[in-house]
Amino acid sequence: MTVTDWKQVDRDAKAWMKEAAERIRKSFKKRIRIGYKANPDDLVTEMDRETEKYFADQIHEHYPDHRILGEEGFGDEISTTDGTIWIIDPIDGTMNFVHQQSHFAISIGIFHDGVGQIGLIYDVVADEWFHCIKGHGAFLNDRPLKKRNAVPVEQSIIGLNATWLTNNRRIDPRYLAPLVGRSRGTRSYGSAAIELAYVAAGRLDAYFSMRLSPWDFAAGLVLLDEVGGVVTTVDGKPVRLLEQNSIFAAEKQLHQEIFETYIRKGIDKDLFMKL
């Protein structure tokens, strides 16, 4: 597709996201039906489903040759990255949406033949747009985001859920604890999309998660690529776009320093279990 085509897709996606965000904000005054998926902490609401269906309806009407990979099941069965794929999380941070009515985002990453073309993350309550079209820079609302500069570990703020610093099935916490101790500090916002957007914007310097789905990280991949960030699995492998992955995002030099100093030792000792 041409640059003009992608700009039109970007305009359409943003318009639909604005409409969806308004619907979500209006829902704050209503009693929302809440369910859960794999476990009681994996929440889903009627707004998650309604929002994804709204996007699916719009995309199918305006771009019938595009495919959709969504969290709530309104997309397509997708096994290859061929063609144009919209990867959608209608509400990333559902627990925050339910309990706090803040710190959640609509996240859309649009890929063509496996290459990220558009990244859109909208923090609905803060009214912050993190957005980009490949090759045209990334933005926070109307402000251009700078290319990420090198930051030493001692001055870094790391996005990390405390779960991974306690006993768990995915990583030995002994290999992250020294990193946390050496860093300037850690933060956890409860939305992978927002945390990846914060790395792109310089509010965080690195971000770790041991298990994310494509809709959690797709838009963030495009944003971070546009500002010179690096995103791999925690054990340094390429991210598999259509599968669950662990995720390690950072500026290039910080990514290398953390990986070589802290992560590689855990890999060598086989203490990373299901990355």
Side-chain angles (χ1 to χ4, degrees), residues 230-242:
V230 174
V231 186
T232 67
T233 63
V234 172
D235 52 345
K237 297 175 182 176
V239 173
R240 302 174 301 279
L241 184 61
L242 304 181

Side-chain angles (χ1 to χ4, degrees), residues 5-271:
D5 291 325
W6 288 122
K7 287 184 176 180
Q8 183 60 54
V9 172
D10 180 67
R11 285 192 292 269
D12 287 339
K14 286 175 177 173
W16 300 334
M17 289 173 80
K18 287 179 181 178
E19 172 63 24
E22 184 59 27
R23 295 182 183 196
I24 292 170
R25 282 189 285 264
K26 288 180 179 178
S27 78
F28 290 167
K29 300 176 183 179
K30 304 176 183 178
R31 176 173 291 182
I32 299 295
R33 290 193 296 272
I34 303 167
Y36 65 89
K37 301 175 188 176
N39 61 70
D41 295 330
D42 189 8
L43 301 180
V44 62
T45 72
E46 59 188 310
M47 283 309 302
D48 291 85
R49 297 189 178 100
E50 288 177 12
T51 302
E52 183 169 301
K53 184 178 185 303
Y54 168 73
F55 285 126
D57 290 345
Q58 295 296 329
I59 295 163
H60 285 144
E61 177 181 350
H62 292 83
Y63 299 100
D65 59 328
H66 292 189
R67 296 184 295 160
I68 302 166
L69 179 61
E71 181 173 12
E72 308 306 335
F74 292 96
D76 304 295
E77 292 292 331
I78 295 178
S79 59
T80 75
T81 58
D82 296 344
T84 300
I85 301 173
W86 297 55
I87 304 180
I88 300 172
D89 197 332
I91 299 179
D92 185 75
T94 300
M95 189 177 295
N96 291 349
F97 168 66
V98 170
H99 289 276
Q100 302 169 345
Q101 294 189 341
S102 64
H103 287 103
F104 63 89
I106 302 171
S107 178
I108 297 179
I110 304 176
F111 290 73
H112 185 71
D113 291 341
V115 178
Q117 300 294 333
I118 294 173
L120 301 167
I121 296 172
Y122 181 43
D123 185 327
V124 172
V125 176
D127 193 27
E128 289 190 324
W129 285 90
F130 302 85
H131 57 105
C132 71
I133 300 175
K134 181 176 176 59
H136 291 266
F139 297 82
L140 169 51
N141 293 336
D142 295 327
R143 176 172 63 85
L145 297 179
K146 298 178 180 178
K147 294 286 186 179
R148 293 305 319 267
N149 293 322
V151 176
V153 172
E154 292 83 358
Q155 296 177 21
S156 66
I157 304 294
I158 298 174
L160 180 67
N161 190 307
T163 299
W164 311 122
L165 296 173
T166 62
N167 290 330
N168 66 86
R169 296 183 296 108
R170 297 183 180 275
I171 186 169
D172 189 316
R174 289 177 295 172
Y175 286 85
L176 288 179
L179 170 62
V180 171
R182 187 179 163 201
S183 71
R184 181 166 280 174
T186 62
R187 298 290 184 271
S188 180
Y189 296 97
S191 163
I194 288 176
E195 289 172 291
L196 288 166
Y198 280 10
V199 176
R203 294 178 179 177
L204 291 172
D205 299 298
Y207 170 69
F208 286 92
S209 182
M210 302 308 140
R211 183 182 59 185
L212 292 179
S213 295
W215 41 82
D216 299 313
F217 59 74
L221 291 184
V222 191
L223 281 164
L224 281 157
D225 184 63
E226 201 64 19
V227 297
V230 174
V231 186
T232 67
T233 63
V234 172
D235 52 345
K237 297 175 182 176
V239 173
R240 302 174 301 279
L241 184 61
L242 304 181
E243 303 175 24
Q244 281 195 342
N245 295 258
S246 63
I247 293 291
F248 171 25
E251 176 275 329
K252 183 177 181 179
Q253 288 185 228
L254 181 62
H255 189 285
Q256 183 176 2
E257 181 181 2
I258 290 174
F259 182 79
E260 294 295 337
T261 305
Y262 300 96
I263 307 302
R264 188 179 293 280
K265 290 188 294 184
I267 294 171
D268 291 344
K269 294 186 178 182
D270 198 28
L271 294 174

